[in-house]
Amino acid sequence: MPFVTPENQEFVNTFGIETTSVGEYQYRLDFSEVVDGELEFSYNVVGRSVAVSWRPVPGRGGFSIFHEGATVLRIADSAESSKLVVDFSTEDTTGSLEVQVFPYVSVSDRTLIC
């Protein structure tokens, strides 16, 4: 199953930042210039994985999460919020990860056992 992701321009249009290539199929989004604190989102198209790292206060403790089995990465942009939504599915689990960027950072992760 392929991992479907947005085009780079969609990230620019919604969040004002570009993806950075960190490998042949790996990309990173650094939201630190547009949010308070440090927020990074990375994904591997071939490995079908995503990672999020968030530090509300730069250099201090924070939150990080890693998921495999990503199937779709999409941008959800509305008048209320702008966020990244990742759907994932493995042999044993299914779920979604939401990373809200605007108007404030919020991370929500839901995983269910199949």
Side-chain angles (χ1 to χ4, degrees), residues 23-44:
E24 192 171 351
Y25 303 104
Q26 300 172 340
Y27 302 92
R28 181 178 63 222
L29 295 157
D30 185 352
F31 292 97
S32 299
E33 293 182 22
V34 295
V35 299
D36 291 332
E38 299 171 345
L39 176 63
E40 278 192 7
F41 180 91
S42 59
Y43 60 99
N44 182 313

Side-chain angles (χ1 to χ4, degrees), residues 1-6 41 43 48 50 69-75 84-89 95-97:
M1 178 180 294
F3 180 19
V4 180
T5 63
F41 180 91
Y43 60 99
R48 296 178 50 217
V50 297
T71 56
V72 176
L73 166 59
R74 65 184 182 279
I75 297 170
L84 298 170
V85 180
V86 181
D87 296 327
F88 59 92
S89 179
S96 67
L97 171 67

Side-chain angles (χ1 to χ4, degrees), residues 77-88:
D77 189 27
S78 68
E80 292 80 32
S81 65
S82 298
K83 61 180 116 178
L84 298 170
V85 180
V86 181
D87 296 327
F88 59 92

